[in-house]
Amino acid sequence: MTEHAVAIAGGGPTGMMLAAELALAKVDVAVVERRPDHVLVGSRAGGFHSRTIELLDQRGVADRFLAEGQVAQAAMFATTVLDMSDFPTRHPYSLGIWQNQIERIMAAWIAELPVRIHYGSEVTGLAQDDTGVEVELSGGQRLRAQYLVGCDGGRSVIRKAAGIEFPGWDATKSNLIAEVEMTEEPELGVRHDELGVHALGRLEYEIRDGEVVYIDGGPVRVMVTERRLGPSGEPTLRDLSEALVTVYGTDFGIHSPTWISRFTDMTRQAVAYRAGRVLLAGDAAHVHYPAGGQGLSLGVQDAVNLGWKLAQVVKGTSPESLLDSYHAERHPVGARTLRYTMAQGALQRPDERTKALVDVVSEVVSMDEPRKRIAGISSGLDIHYDLRLRGGRVEGHPLLGRRMPDLDLVTAGGPLRVFELLHDAKPVLLNLGQPGRLDIAAWADRVKLIDAEHVGAWELPVLGAVAAPTAMAIRPDGYVAWVGDGTDSGLREALTTWFGAP
Ligand SMILES: Cc1cc2nc3c(=O)[nH]c(=O)nc-3n(C[C@H](O)[C@H](O)[C@H](O)COP(=O)(O)OP(=O)(O)OC[C@H]3O[C@@H](n4cnc5c(N)ncnc54)[C@H](O)[C@@H]3O)c2cc1C
């Protein structure tokens, strides 16, 4: 039987991101993916938001995605665009890029890393004991790993086999989504009616002056709300034709579909992201209505939170209890996103009372403070992990538990950006005070100590200006685990908590 330190079920965006994180940390990782290769049939997600771009920037690969996508102020709440161009980040926008492009770029990235991928293989079951997990594969094969992570999507076999409950809310509405050719000229754009929201658009588009401009020809991406909640089986071209006729009075002569699928507003979250040696990430841990485009970002961020922790546990530098901080940090973020998407879904209801509510909410979120608050959630830039859960400090600098900004630094070796320090996914102790004043020799094999200068104000998204700290310990996921106030008080405890005993 093949053995690996970590096995990942599912090579979608979450599984690939986790595999990259583990490979960067030099952990032996294998991905089991049901599809015969990385190609995703259909466009599915339409992009991701600012914090996800930042995470990719922290690994030095954001440019690959930016080169193929379209940046735009695309985050919306009710009918209001949440313009975040004034947020203090290098990426104050969302990126429009189809999921099949995202997965292609990710697959090319992990092909450069020591990641083993078993395509065309399906996980069918698991059995865990004190030292590892035996993973059953289709065709009767097995593999063994110290830990297994279920990144196998909303219908996760891993979640079910591990006996993790998935409570939440059943679907109340369904939409058909498809890519088809049309013999008639389609009515491109978004339509609202008594059934809900519908949209027709070309797969190829550009953003010009903030507006979507479709490029003529090629397939049309159809999204249509169904009159009644659709069945769970695969939808057909006929279902799509009927739904289009109901809304538009014509099916525009649809033919030659490359992809037809159905999604709903079912909203559920795993009660635990970990059961012993089995963990869940991405859609396997949470499903929700796609309004607001949050799912892929949430999964990629789960992976970046989990990867370095799992690597340290596997290498024996941190105790297994470090893994509990994964659930403690990511479950609340997932729960908040679920509430946010349920609110978005509710605001799409077509009745007059909801329309009145939409008007009121739109007015509120167009005001500056509410805009920032909601844009902070939508972009993921306001995430604040409660580090108390690992015995960390309760109060302290606002940066504690928040994302480290990508500051311009001046070091003895020349200028660089903070995110460049994170490319190899290692912890960083950044000293902005007197050079050489911090001594962490006992962690020298694990934590990079950088003496640097930063000139300029300190500003955090949503919060605004904060006092300039003198030093900070930055976790590999880019979140700050310790903030110095001129002394090294609490530094050793923080390094031990997060990066293991010296
Ligand atoms: C219409 C639509 C629009 C969306 N728009 C957005 C958007 O704009 N922005 C956004 O952030 N999100 C969006 N989402 C959500 C996004 O698509 C998902 O959240 C995202 O794909 C989750 O990634 P994942 O890797 O966790 O799961 P998945 O993408 O579902 O990947 C799971 C992988 O596991 C494999 N697999 C499944 N079972 C097994 C098994 N037993 N063994 C081996 N392999 C297995 C599958 O083949 C798949 O490759 C949208 C979703 C839909 C439906």
Side-chain angles (χ1 to χ4, degrees), residues 291-372:
Q294 295 289 312
L296 193 148
S297 281
L298 208 51
V300 166
Q301 293 179 29
D302 287 346
V304 175
N305 185 284
L306 176 60
W308 64 277
K309 295 174 181 173
L310 197 49
Q312 288 181 189
V313 171
V314 164
K315 289 176 178 174
T317 49
S318 288
E320 214 186 13
S321 60
L322 180 64
L323 294 178
D324 293 331
S325 71
Y326 168 60
H327 171 98
E329 292 176 354
R330 293 303 301 169
H331 192 277
V333 173
R336 184 179 76 155
T337 305
L338 260 47
R339 269 165 40 89
Y340 171 89
T341 58
M342 282 204 289
Q344 292 261 48
L347 288 167
Q348 286 184 359
R349 284 190 197 134
D351 60 278
E352 288 305 318
R353 285 180 171 80
T354 307
K355 279 188 202 158
L357 178 65
V358 166
D359 288 346
V360 174
V361 171
S362 296
E363 212 174 306
V364 173
V365 292
S366 60
M367 292 188 250
D368 216 38
E369 280 306 310
R371 168 187 65 86
K372 284 187 191 162

Side-chain angles (χ1 to χ4, degrees), residues 73-88:
Q73 295 302 331
M76 289 190 63
F77 199 73
T79 52
T80 305
V81 174
L82 301 168
D83 190 322
M84 57 185 81
S85 49
D86 59 347
F87 271 9

Side-chain angles (χ1 to χ4, degrees), residues 426-485:
K426 274 195 165 179
V428 175
L429 179 63
L430 182 60
N431 173 30
L432 299 176
Q434 181 71 28
R437 76 192 169 94
L438 295 176
D439 174 15
I440 54 155
W443 284 273
D445 60 331
R446 272 167 269 167
V447 182
K448 283 194 276 190
L449 172 57
I450 307 288
D451 289 323
E453 264 180 56
H454 166 67
V455 184
W458 274 77
E459 203 189 346
L460 299 182
V462 188
L463 291 187
V466 297
T470 56
M472 64 251 20
I474 309 166
R475 309 189 318 188
D477 59 358
Y479 288 83
V480 175
W482 173 84
V483 182
D485 52 5

Side-chain angles (χ1 to χ4, degrees), residues 99-310:
Q99 185 165 342
N100 47 11
Q101 294 174 280
I102 296 170
E103 295 201 21
R104 172 170 45 71
I105 298 168
M106 283 188 141
W109 176 37
I110 63 169
E112 296 163 15
L113 300 169
V115 173
R116 196 175 293 263
I117 305 199
H118 304 279
Y119 282 117
S121 186
E122 193 169 336
V123 175
T124 52
L126 63 94
Q128 56 171 319
D129 54 42
D130 290 346
T131 58
V133 190
E134 210 164 287
V135 186
E136 292 165 27
L137 307 180
S138 47
Q141 287 161 308
R142 285 164 187 271
L143 62 84
R144 194 174 165 81
Q146 292 172 45
Y147 289 90
L148 169 68
V149 188
C151 300
D152 52 341
R155 293 180 183 160
S156 174
V157 168
I158 306 299
R159 186 185 65 232
K160 290 172 196 154
I164 299 174
E165 282 177 55
F166 200 44
W169 295 270
D170 288 336
T172 63
K173 62 175 171 179
S174 60
N175 296 63
L176 294 178
I177 184 149
E179 286 164 25
V180 288
E181 301 286 343
M182 292 183 171
T183 50
E184 293 167 30
E185 197 48 42
E187 186 188 307
L188 299 179
V190 179
R191 179 189 269 215
H192 297 261
D193 66 12
E194 70 281 2
L195 287 185
V197 185
H198 323 279
L200 303 179
R202 299 260 177 218
L203 275 172
E204 297 227 8
Y205 68 91
E206 280 175 14
I207 307 281
R208 287 188 212 145
D209 300 328
E211 299 291 324
V212 176
V213 179
Y214 293 110
I215 295 168
D216 279 350
V220 177
R221 178 163 146 135
V222 178
M223 198 278 290
V224 60
T225 306
E226 293 182 282
R227 181 179 287 285
R228 275 181 296 278
L229 186 63
S232 60
E234 287 303 307
T236 61
L237 190 63
R238 187 173 172 158
D239 295 331
L240 184 65
S241 165
E242 285 172 6
L244 281 168
V245 170
T246 304
V247 175
Y248 293 91
T250 167
D251 71 0
F252 302 103
I254 51 166
H255 64 95
S256 313
T258 46
W259 175 57
I260 307 179
S261 186
R262 177 179 278 121
F263 65 88
T264 73
D265 62 348
M266 182 172 70
T267 304
R268 293 180 180 276
Q269 187 177 24
V271 290
Y273 281 18
R274 177 181 169 213
R277 290 177 171 274
V278 178
L279 296 116
L280 300 176
D283 277 17
H286 35 70
V287 293
H288 55 79
Y289 194 55
Q294 295 289 312
L296 193 148
S297 281
L298 208 51
V300 166
Q301 293 179 29
D302 287 346
V304 175
N305 185 284
L306 176 60
W308 64 277
K309 295 174 181 173
L310 197 49

